[in-house]
Amino acid sequence: MIESIVSYGLAVGAVYAMIGITYNVMFSASRVFSFTSGMLGMLGGVLGALFITKFGLPVVVGLVLVLACGVPIGVITEIVTVRPVLKSLEQHLYVLSTLAFALMVQQLVAIEWGTDAQPFPRLIPIGPGWLDQQFWLPMLACAATIVGLEFLYRRTLVGRAFVAIAEDNYAARALGLPEQGLRVASFALAGIIGMLAGFTGAEMLLAFFGNQSILNFYGFIPVALGGMGSNRGAVFGGLALGLFQQAANFLLGGIFAAVAVFVVFIAILLVRPEGLAGVSTTRRV
Amino acid sequence: MTVTDPPIATEVASAGRQARFEIALPWLALAAAGAGLPLLDDSYVGVIAQRACIYWILVAGLNLVVGFAGQIAIGWVALLTVGAYTTAVLTAGTVTSAWDPYLALAASGLGGAVFGGIVGLPALRLRNFYFAITTLGFATIVTQVALAWKSVTGGGIGTPGPVFPWPFDPGWGFYYLCFGLAALATWMTANIAASRFGRALVAIRDAEVAAEASGIARPRWLMTVFLFAGALAGIAGGLFSSLQSYITPDAFTFDLSILFFIAILIGGRGSILGPLLGTIILTVLPELAAPLVAWSTFLYAALLLVIVLAVPGGIADLLDYRNRRPMKQHRVIAPRPELLPQLLGEHRDSAALVLSDIALNFGGVRAIDGLSLAIRSGEIHGLIGPNGSGKTTALNVISGYYAPSSGQATLNGIALPFKAPHTRAGYGIARTFQTPRLIGGASVIENVMIGGTCNGEGSFVESLMGLPRHRRDEAYFKTAAMRALETIGLDQLAAVRADRLQHSELRFMEIARALMLRPTFLMLDEPAAGLSAEEIRRLGELIKAISRAGTGVLLVEHHADLIFDICDRVTVLNLGKVLAAGTPSEIRMHREVVIAYLGA
């Protein structure tokens, strides 16, 4: 039992962590939390199943195509739902614009793909137990994502520009950084990461349009726990969430596990709204 | 000289009668249409009308949460679910003995209130997206529980809804029950909207800091409205279970949440008629476009996107033609300080607000370093100093936004609590802000009325039912606010939306808001910034008159002329320390002050 809690918990936690990172990458560049994060995760699974099972494409081609789809979706998200409302005084409008866009895409999937959960192909036939792809693939993807992002942010010029924008938007613009271009690039990058999360987690979560709201919610918890904008925080938060959720599933049963996760999430947010690792620096008056 | 009621009041009254008729007209039309609907004798129409009424009962409450208080509660369908299952399970008699449906409906209202409180709890500390995602999470959880808790809810198979016995039996009887409750919900929320509670919610939405300074404790006010909105949603759920006659978790999809939310956005924030029309339109529309039923959620979402991007103000904004008329150019603010005694009351006890040895650090920066000063009633105390010398910080300590690391602030010897800005109004301490904090969506007079919020006596329930104490409060607020506006010279603009005012007018409006409290102490944070020379002169006279009427004034300012002209005492800050204190003539001669700040 312990083994299945740990393997399944870490795997699903890695998916949550990657969705959390998707939130973070968009947030850093725009101060916007986007409901399209869960949508990307959902699409990763659905498009993967579409390309590989329905169209019969090779696995690698399918994966590349899925990730490539993340780019235009990310860019469209930025242009349609974020850019128009960033200018507006009422900043919270982004909550509604991104939600609306995500729902439109979800409904398109529901209509064109169907509302039933469909299986995702088994890509690498080894296993069972720990060696099963559904467990190690999300963890590997999550590790690759965090290592890749750390490399990008610390070692490359573009990455440092991302960091500068996230740290101080005005100062970065004063230095001549193309803020808008970097924001679009961040949304494209987030598109790829979200798609990767959905693709690698889909054997567990299936190709299902309803995953969107689940991933939106459970993917945001790591962000709330780890502090907004912190990718490493999101990884720890995601893995902890996955383990906690699976443990609660086994020990308490399905209903109470969901309630337990929700209660703990709310309790933590109420006690430390800035996240367990975050610092609060707001000046209101 | 005796001051009679100003002429403006009678003018307002006669114009008011026609305006009131204009406002009442759509309501009368809706009431007549609703009451006469059974004459059509079409049961299909009846079902749609029942659904519209039920949705509106929920949306009416949610409107206070979303449209007035500005909380992005997107998972409200969860409360409909809770209400529906409560009524259905209690009347089914599978878990308990079978309840009377009307009693079960009341229980749904109670359950809805409890869960409304639970959903609202995070809003006390969380903002925007954070709160939105917790409501979304709650909706997800409720659906999962409804599916999994088979012994009670019947799981995916569902459970039958109740049939209400005579006189509200299925058909038009049930319709009248829904219609009656919808009318009641409309009436109650309209009462709230026109009360200090409704205004306070809008203040929390648009200018939270100013709301706190006016004595509005955000947690308590938000929780009250969440409980009320939850109760309405619970009752709507109970009726919904009877309308559906059989409920499964599938009946409560997230689409419904979106529908409720869009109804409010289409209608416009801070309106009641708008969201009501929005609800009717969104309920009827899918019936007219039957082939599109599969696309309904997609269309709702697209509609949401269009509204957010194109018309964030909704129907109410489009219909608000009065606030699109061009305003008079070159308006002059002509304060009438002679009205002050009437506004503030004749007799004032003398009081003293004393800061002793206050120190405050921001990280490594010592913002205030051992500040002591005393403000007495009837006196104007000037606080000046270079930028960054700690003037505004001192003001924020007095008004309770910051807690100093040492030292204390006392009012007549009683220590003031820190980090509790909403308590200051109760102590009779009012303030204005360096950048005016306006409630942009509200009219000027409503902005001013906010200042007196804690002088109201009626409770939320009294306002809900429109009881006498609520009406007395409202009459008092209206006259006092009008008087405050006459005093500061903005009475001509009373009905204009505050975000249309120019900068200098906003500064005076904030003073009017502060005067509404009848403050013992008034703190002004750079009131002359951005004013013309003539306006500064009038402001000076007004401030002087306020202090002569018995109020202690603390004036933070950069205009040295104004300070030396009207202040009785002046304290000069530099780098958080008191550089000098004394009468204006002493300060003007003070060598270090001249070097550090005034210049030769």
Side-chain angles (χ1 to χ4, degrees), chain A residues 78 120 137 142 147 150 172 198 209 211 234:
Chain A
E78 199 277 337
F120 190 83
L137 195 59
C142 181
V147 170
E150 291 282 318
F209 87 114
N211 282 345

Side-chain angles (χ1 to χ4, degrees), chain B residues 21 88 151 156 179 184 192 229 249 283 301 357 456 491-492 552 570 577 585:
Chain B
F21 179 70
S151 60
F179 179 69
L184 185 67
I192 287 299
T283 318
D357 223 11
D491 44 321
Q492 300 296 325
V570 176
K577 284 200 172 87
S585 49

Side-chain angles (χ1 to χ4, degrees), chain B residues 117-349:
Chain B
I118 293 174
V119 178
L121 199 61
L124 305 188
R125 289 201 65 174
L126 306 175
R127 311 286 148 122
N128 296 344
F129 186 83
Y130 272 70
F131 177 62
I133 199 110
T134 58
T135 64
L136 185 73
F138 187 75
T140 315
I141 301 292
V142 166
T143 317
Q144 285 181 0
V145 171
L147 266 175
W149 201 6
K150 292 203 177 81
S151 60
V152 172
T153 63
I157 301 162
T159 186
V163 172
F164 283 91
W166 190 89
F168 300 117
D169 41 346
W172 292 110
F174 182 64
Y175 167 74
Y176 275 120
L177 176 64
C178 297
F179 179 69
L181 287 173
L184 185 67
T186 314
W187 180 68
M188 290 199 291
T189 52
N191 278 340
I192 287 299
S195 76
R196 62 187 179 123
F197 297 96
R199 288 190 298 273
L201 294 176
V202 176
I204 288 172
R205 181 189 82 193
D206 284 358
E208 197 189 328
V209 173
E212 283 177 325
S214 302
I216 296 162
R218 179 186 143 101
R220 212 187 74 210
W221 297 68
L222 277 186
M223 196 35 81
T224 314
V225 77
F226 274 117
L227 291 174
F228 175 63
L232 284 184
I235 288 172
L239 295 172
F240 188 71
S241 71
S242 176
L243 174 72
Q244 293 288 94
S245 72
Y246 201 85
I247 53 169
T248 60
D250 288 344
F252 307 95
T253 51
F254 194 64
D255 314 5
L256 273 181
S257 259
I258 298 300
L259 183 146
F260 301 146
F261 206 90
I262 304 178
I264 293 170
L265 284 190
I266 292 183
R269 302 195 311 168
S271 158
I272 289 182
L273 184 61
L276 171 56
L277 295 177
T279 310
I280 295 173
I281 293 170
L282 288 184
T283 318
V284 174
L285 213 54
E287 306 297 333
L288 302 179
L292 290 176
V293 81
W295 287 85
S296 65
T297 311
F298 181 86
L299 293 176
Y300 286 152
L303 196 56
L304 179 59
L305 191 61
V306 169
I307 294 167
V308 168
L309 297 182
V311 273
I315 297 177
D317 223 24
L318 292 177
L319 294 180
D320 189 13
Y321 55 91
R322 278 198 210 101
N323 269 312
R324 276 198 302 274
R325 283 187 200 142
M327 291 171 72
K328 207 178 114 199
Q329 299 291 308
H330 311 296
R331 300 187 294 272
V332 177
I333 308 166
R336 293 164 63 189
E338 67 273 14
L339 298 178
L340 271 169
Q342 228 189 11
L343 176 65
L344 296 176
E346 297 286 351
H347 177 76
R348 323 292 303 277
D349 292 327

